[in-house]
Amino acid sequence: MPGLLALMPPKTAARGREQDRLIVYLLLAGNSTITTTEYKKLAEDAANVYYQTPRAVTSALRAAADFVNKTLLERNMSTSARGQYALAWLSLASVRESQCIFSISGPMHMYWFGQNESRHFFEPAISGKGLGSSQTINIHYAQTDLNAGDLLLFCGRLPNAWSTPLDEAKPSSFDAMRRRLIALTGEDLNAVLVQSTEGMGAMNLFRGTATPKVEAPKEEPIPQEEPALPTPTEELPAVEEIESKPTAHVLQPSAYAIPPEPQETHLPQETNSDPLAHLPHKNTSRDFPSSIPRAKPKPPVEETSAQPAADVDENEAETAEPEIKQSELPPKEKAPEGPREPSQHMRQTAKTIVGFMQLFRNGSRSLGEKTRNFLPRLLPNSESSDLPKTSDSAMFVIALLVPLVIVTVLFVVYTKYGRNPQFESYIQQANQVSQQAPTLANPIEQREAWNQVIYLVSKAEEIYRSTPESVTLRRTAETNLDTLYGITRMQFNPAFSAKLNIDVSRMAASEKDLYLLNAENGDALRAIPSGNGGFELDTTFTCKQGTYGDYQVGALVDILALPITNLIDATLLGIDSNGYLLYCKPGAVPQAIPLPPPDTGWGHITAITMDSGNLYVLDAPKRAVWVYTGKEGTFIDRPYFFFGQQTPTQDVIDFIVSGDEMYMLHAGGRVSNCSYSRIDASKSKCEEQVALVNPFPAYQDTDLFGTAHFTQLIFAAPPDTSLLLLDAESQTAMRFAPRTFELQNQFRPTTGNGNPVPAGSVGAIAVSPDHVLYFAVDRQVYFAVNMP
């Protein structure tokens, strides 16, 4: 199985990927020729992209899937003229300690079998049809906790015989599950079985040695390079590849599951190992990977006595001597057939063709004679000597004016009358649909009608060009769709005259200044307003890792803009993963102050936030949030634990606090809510997943939140207490009401030529107290004023 990898984190992994183990399960299909080397390289390159992508796990998973999609899409576009294509189904599983987060692209199945329960992850409406067919990608994110003895099963095309047994499966051992899956079906299989065990964190890739009773065609296996295994530090699963081929672990009927067959000669039949067999294929020669079984070609069938009756004389066959084989008798010769008389219809057709040919010859002859007579008259001769002569300057002016007049006339005529009739048809249809759409009572029908208007306008502009009429129709449709979806369009502008040379992971904004956190080295930058309406970097501002006094501060993981009045007179507060605070202000050396560590010590600090002067510190690996009581911007007292009996999972990537309420965003996109009890801290409770409410009827048949990729959680500008969730891929900030978590509206950039924000995911978001919304995209920051 060249698309299967089980990898340990490399030494050069990006920040946040150092502890991630990765399982890559890639299936390719189509009629394009893919070699084993290309197959393996695509899986390995996807894994490399994952380990080189910092920040959230879901961002890295999406980056890997996007790489596979772009690679296959470019290949498919180059081979589309030959009718060749390749599609990919991709499952990625990221394991960190006992947490497993995975992404599925394409209609693949994933099962988790725990000690007391099991789950089946299969959402084809979310995961889409596969990668390589469109610029947009569909990904189904999910997560689960792994305990010792748990099993995971990834399968591209699920055999029918597995469906019911897997849904009703009970806890069993690794070998028992493997044997049962083998015995259930005789189909060609391609699947991955994973078991987590107590250990040191090694990722082991096993290959089965069971030999099936039915003989398979012999092939030399292509050796697969095993990944280097550095010294692990945590428990991780064992992975077994499952494929119907003797050289790998065979998941097809075992010996005891196959009934004895009579000793008869059967011709081998080819099997279909394509995981996407329902797609059309061409019968072209392919270089199949060694993991795909190929049946032997059918031997040529020898000619026997079953000859056609017309070729053999029955009387001669009956009277032939016994020792002469019937196949040796000479065939009886047939009398040659004479030519058939043409039908009346054929005669009439021939006469018509001859008539057209004769007409064409006469017309050509006449045109040639007229041309020969006309051309000599264009030349000066003695017969025209009595005509008035034209000067050379006049001839020059005429030579210039005549082409110009002809071109002008043609342009005017084409502009007025030359529009493509098909263009007019599309525009007319768009006008009709746009007039009908407002009269529809069903919001979903209205949505589809306005989408149809945009589609018709796009088809018309492809044929001809954009016209004022088509632009007006498109804007009308987009405006009505935004109203149905609850979208507010914001006019963004670039903050800097040129792109920055950094990726921004966090931003903090005050009324005048903007602070950026470099995702690569953890340095903080300050941007101040410039004279041209944008921003420029403050070269006098320093806030980065280093030695300050007796303290060694590491790379900053989060930053906060401080109030104007604080004891240290700093404008920005940063923190590293070990609990060292760094106070920074323009034109001064930063000041480092360590936080008093909690009794349990620090694990790895990932984020901070402030509320009412108190500092909240998130230690995600230890599932803890520690609260420090502030005294004029300093935090010198020992902290207290925010949670009671319930603690969050280790996948929290961002959080905010308002009074006694804490909201946490998890890597899989879910939001949890915890309430602190001041009467009895042990009675503080948490809701592991709050239900996000979408009140807009146009989304009734669409899962807006299921397809979103949430990466950051912040509050709106005060005094608004609404929550803003950043959907990085769609460049959307969704605003929710606190406590009820009902969607209020969505903030997105404008569309069309007036939008300077390029395509791509948003790396960070911030809102200033004076209602300015900031997006960091593609090493540039964009801002929109007057956020409602």
Side-chain angles (χ1 to χ4, degrees):
M1 296 170 63
L4 176 63
L5 298 175
L7 303 175
M8 301 288 289
K11 295 181 179 179
T12 58
R15 180 184 300 176
R17 305 283 80 78
E18 303 92 338
Q19 303 298 324
D20 292 357
R21 275 71 168 171
L22 182 66
I23 299 174
V24 180
Y25 179 35
L26 173 67
L27 289 178
L28 295 181
N31 57 11
S32 182
T33 301
I34 305 284
T35 64
T36 304
T37 302
E38 293 173 330
Y39 205 135
K40 293 172 59 178
K41 186 176 185 302
L42 184 59
E44 293 169 355
D45 290 347
N48 291 335
V49 171
Y50 173 84
Y51 279 116
Q52 296 305 318
T53 304
R55 301 189 297 275
V57 176
T58 51
S59 298
L61 294 174
R62 176 171 284 271
D66 187 57
F67 168 80
V68 174
N69 183 70
K70 290 181 179 178
T71 301
L72 291 181
L73 185 60
E74 292 177 0
R75 181 190 181 98
N76 291 339
M77 293 178 65
S78 64
T79 60
S80 60
R82 301 192 298 271
Q84 297 180 352
Y85 67 95
L87 297 179
W89 293 3
L90 179 64
S91 288
L92 300 173
S94 174
V95 184
R96 180 184 298 177
E97 294 184 355
S98 63
Q99 191 77 18
C100 179
I101 301 175
F102 54 88
S103 65
I104 301 175
S105 297
M108 306 185 81
H109 297 259
M110 185 272 179
Y111 288 86
W112 167 74
F113 304 100
Q115 297 301 318
N116 300 316
E117 60 177 333
S118 63
R119 292 180 65 185
H120 179 199
F121 300 93
F122 179 62
E123 296 292 343
I126 299 176
S127 58
K129 298 180 180 179
L131 304 174
S133 61
S134 173
Q135 292 183 352
T136 59
I137 59 177
N138 295 297
I139 300 179
H140 176 208
Y141 294 103
Q143 64 179 359
T144 185
D145 289 327
L146 290 179
N147 299 310
D150 288 359
L151 296 175
L152 293 175
L153 176 65
F154 296 89
C155 185
R157 186 181 182 190
L158 189 70
N160 294 331
W162 282 12
S163 299
T164 302
L166 288 178
D167 291 337
E168 300 174 355
K170 297 181 180 180
S172 61
S173 65
F174 186 78
D175 291 334
M177 175 66 76
R178 175 178 59 85
R179 289 195 300 268
R180 187 183 184 195
L181 295 177
I182 291 173
L184 283 173
T185 181
E187 301 180 27
D188 285 337
L189 303 172
N190 194 302
V192 181
L193 185 61
V194 185
Q195 182 188 38
S196 58
T197 61
E198 295 286 353
M200 295 298 295
M203 187 80 76
N204 301 311
L205 183 62
F206 292 105
R207 308 186 189 281
T209 57
T211 303
K213 184 175 181 180
V214 179
E215 291 188 0
K218 296 181 180 179
E219 282 188 12
E220 292 295 331
I222 296 179
Q224 183 167 339
E225 298 179 0
E226 297 293 339
L229 300 179
T231 303
T233 58
E234 46 192 76
E235 69 172 57
L236 279 172
V239 183
E240 181 164 1
E241 66 177 62
I242 302 172
E243 186 180 17
S244 53
K245 180 186 174 187
T247 55
H249 176 69
V250 180
L251 219 175
Q252 66 182 48
S254 58
Y256 61 81
I258 302 176
E261 298 181 359
Q263 299 296 328
E264 295 181 4
T265 302
H266 294 279
L267 294 178
Q269 296 183 0
E270 292 195 9
T271 59
N272 182 15
S273 60
D274 191 347
L276 303 180
H278 62 284
L279 293 176
H281 287 65
K282 283 192 176 182
N283 296 327
T284 56
S285 175
R286 295 184 58 182
D287 184 8
F288 280 84
S290 64
S291 62
I292 300 178
R294 299 291 293 167
K296 295 180 180 178
K298 294 183 178 182
V301 180
E302 296 183 359
E303 294 184 359
T304 64
S305 59
Q307 298 292 337
D311 295 342
V312 181
D313 191 313
E314 295 181 358
N315 295 330
E316 292 180 4
E318 293 177 357
T319 58
E321 295 182 7
E323 62 271 33
I324 299 177
K325 296 181 180 179
Q326 186 178 1
S327 59
E328 296 176 359
L329 295 176
K332 185 176 180 179
E333 296 183 359
K334 295 182 179 180
E337 297 182 0
R340 293 184 300 176
E341 286 292 330
S343 63
Q344 183 66 25
H345 177 72
M346 292 294 295
R347 290 191 188 129
Q348 188 64 32
T349 303
K351 289 180 180 179
T352 303
I353 294 175
V354 171
F356 276 115
M357 293 175 63
Q358 187 66 31
L359 182 63
F360 177 76
R361 289 174 183 172
N362 295 336
S364 300
R365 187 182 302 109
S366 176
L367 180 63
E369 292 177 358
K370 292 180 180 180
T371 303
R372 284 193 297 271
N373 295 332
F374 174 73
L375 289 178
R377 300 179 182 178
L378 297 178
L379 302 175
N381 53 29
S382 58
E383 297 178 0
S384 60
S385 58
D386 55 343
L387 297 176
K389 295 184 178 180
T390 306
S391 64
D392 294 341
S393 59
M395 292 294 292
F396 179 75
V397 172
I398 293 173
L400 290 179
L401 289 179
V402 169
L404 182 61
V405 171
I406 292 174
V407 170
T408 303
V409 171
L410 291 176
F411 176 76
V412 172
V413 172
Y414 177 77
T415 303
K416 188 173 182 180
Y417 304 104
R419 295 206 303 190
N420 193 301
Q422 196 171 2
F423 171 86
E424 298 288 353
S425 175
Y426 281 127
I427 291 297
Q428 183 178 1
Q429 294 178 52
N431 275 311
Q432 292 175 355
V433 177
S434 65
Q435 293 172 4
Q436 296 173 359
T439 64
L440 299 175
N442 190 332
I444 297 179
E445 293 179 354
Q446 283 192 32
R447 180 195 69 191
E448 295 303 320
W450 291 118
N451 281 327
Q452 181 70 8
V453 171
I454 294 177
Y455 170 78
L456 293 171
V457 170
S458 299
K459 296 294 290 184
E461 292 176 343
E462 288 176 5
I463 294 173
Y464 184 58
R465 59 182 174 85
S466 297
T467 64
E469 185 179 8
S470 66
V471 171
T472 301
L473 281 171
R474 182 184 294 276
R475 288 179 179 174
T476 301
E478 291 175 346
T479 301
N480 283 277
L481 282 174
D482 288 344
T483 303
L484 292 172
Y485 289 144
I487 296 175
T488 302
R489 298 288 177 178
M490 303 286 291
Q491 179 58 56
F492 282 84
N493 297 293
F496 302 97
S497 58
K499 283 188 177 182
L500 303 171
N501 293 324
I502 63 170
D503 288 322
V504 180
S505 62
R506 292 282 183 175
M507 292 191 294
S510 62
E511 292 184 354
K512 294 183 179 180
D513 301 338
L514 176 66
Y515 298 94
L516 316 174
L517 182 61
N518 189 332
E520 298 173 359
N521 58 22
D523 295 349
L525 307 176
R526 177 177 180 245
I528 56 178
S530 62
N532 58 2
F535 289 81
E536 60 184 1
L537 294 178
D538 181 7
T539 57
T540 66
F541 182 80
T542 302
C543 193
K544 59 183 180 179
Q545 57 182 321
T547 303
Y548 300 96
D550 297 332
Y551 306 114
Q552 178 66 38
V553 180
L556 303 181
V557 297
D558 204 356
I559 55 176
L560 291 175
L562 291 175
I564 298 177
T565 57
N566 58 80
L567 184 63
I568 303 179
D569 195 26
T571 60
L572 183 71
L573 175 65
I575 190 170
D576 68 0
S577 60
N578 298 316
Y580 286 95
L581 296 178
L582 193 63
Y583 293 85
C584 308
K585 62 180 179 180
V589 177
Q591 182 177 352
I593 300 178
L595 283 173
D599 295 336
T600 58
W602 294 116
H604 185 89
I605 296 174
T606 54
I608 56 174
T609 188
M610 291 186 67
D611 181 66
S612 302
N614 296 331
L615 180 67
Y616 296 78
V617 181
L618 172 63
D619 189 348
K622 290 201 171 184
R623 304 182 179 184
V625 171
W626 300 99
V627 186
Y628 290 84
T629 303
K631 295 181 179 179
E632 297 182 349
T634 61
F635 311 95
I636 57 177
D637 295 335
R638 299 190 67 82
Y640 64 87
F641 193 60
F642 183 88
F643 305 105
Q645 300 297 326
Q646 291 179 283
T647 57
T649 55
Q650 296 174 325
D651 62 339
V652 178
I653 58 175
D654 203 2
F655 78 122
I656 53 178
V657 178
S658 176
D660 294 333
E661 298 293 325
M662 178 181 296
Y663 308 98
M664 293 175 288
L665 175 63
H666 298 258
R670 64 184 175 92
V671 178
S672 59
N673 173 223
C674 294
S675 301
Y676 180 75
S677 175
R678 296 186 178 274
I679 300 175
D680 186 356
S682 63
K683 294 184 179 180
S684 300
K685 59 181 181 179
C686 294
E687 186 178 359
E688 292 188 359
Q689 182 170 1
V690 299
L692 302 180
V693 180
N694 188 348
F696 295 95
Y699 283 113
Q700 286 180 1
D701 59 343
T702 305
D703 186 4
L704 174 64
F705 308 132
T707 57
H709 179 212
F710 295 130
T711 58
Q712 198 170 341
L713 174 65
I714 63 174
F715 280 119
D720 188 1
T721 58
S722 300
L723 285 67
L724 292 179
L725 271 173
L726 172 64
D727 180 5
E729 300 304 324
S730 66
Q731 298 181 349
T732 303
M734 299 186 188
R735 178 157 62 181
F736 293 86
R739 298 184 183 276
T740 62
F741 300 100
E742 182 178 85
L743 178 64
Q744 296 177 330
N745 63 330
Q746 306 177 62
F747 297 102
R748 293 185 183 181
T750 56
T751 58
N753 297 329
N755 177 28
V757 183
S761 61
V762 180
I765 183 177
V767 178
S768 69
D770 53 346
H771 296 262
V772 178
L773 177 63
Y774 296 91
F775 277 178
V777 183
D778 191 22
R779 299 198 166 197
Q780 174 66 286
V781 177
Y782 300 88
F783 67 96
V785 298
N786 301 324
M787 177 182 177

